[in-house]
Amino acid sequence: RTTGHEYIGRSVVYSHEHRTSGTRTAKINQNGIVMGWIAETDKDSQGDPGYVSDKTGKPAALFYVQFEDLKTHAYPKFLLHSIDMELHEVEEVLVPEELQGQPSPKKNRYS
């Protein structure tokens, strides 16, 4: 679904780390948008839940987040195109409502 939830169209900032060498890691921050979701009440064609939470083992909402394409990033091979997130994960990375639609702060080459 691409409608029907208050988080559709909301901005997120997702951080993840990757090992770049034997002892060095890079923290990567990516800006994204919540593009779609599966409700906890959704069923697949077999009548099974659309998504079952890895955390609880119960049907749960699942959100699809798509990230900006950053061709000039210092570590482009570690950038994510998209990710699926449970509700609690999306809520942890949502940009506050009062900052939605504002330009992202200037990033250094490692953000």
Side-chain angles (χ1 to χ4, degrees), residues 5 7 12 14 34 36-40 50-65 83-94:
H5 196 283
Y7 293 162
V12 302
Y14 181 70
V34 179
W37 73 298
I38 297 171
E40 67 183 52
Y51 173 72
V52 176
S53 170
D54 295 332
K55 187 175 182 178
T56 66
K58 297 180 180 178
L62 185 69
F63 296 83
Y64 173 74
V65 175
I83 191 170
D84 292 331
M85 305 175 96
E86 292 189 24
L87 178 62
H88 67 95
E89 295 169 316
V90 170
E91 290 176 336
E92 291 171 8
V93 299
L94 274 175

Side-chain angles (χ1 to χ4, degrees), residues 3 12 23 26 30 35-36 40 49-51 56-57 59 66-67 81 83 87 90 103 107:
T3 60
V12 302
T23 58
Q30 288 189 256
M35 302 296 289
E40 67 183 52
Y51 173 72
T56 66
Q66 189 169 2
F67 296 105
H81 173 70
I83 191 170
L87 178 62
V90 170
K107 304 274 185 191

Side-chain angles (χ1 to χ4, degrees), residues 26-42:
K27 181 177 181 180
I28 298 173
N29 296 313
Q30 288 189 256
N31 298 325
I33 303 287
V34 179
M35 302 296 289
W37 73 298
I38 297 171
E40 67 183 52
T41 56
D42 285 351

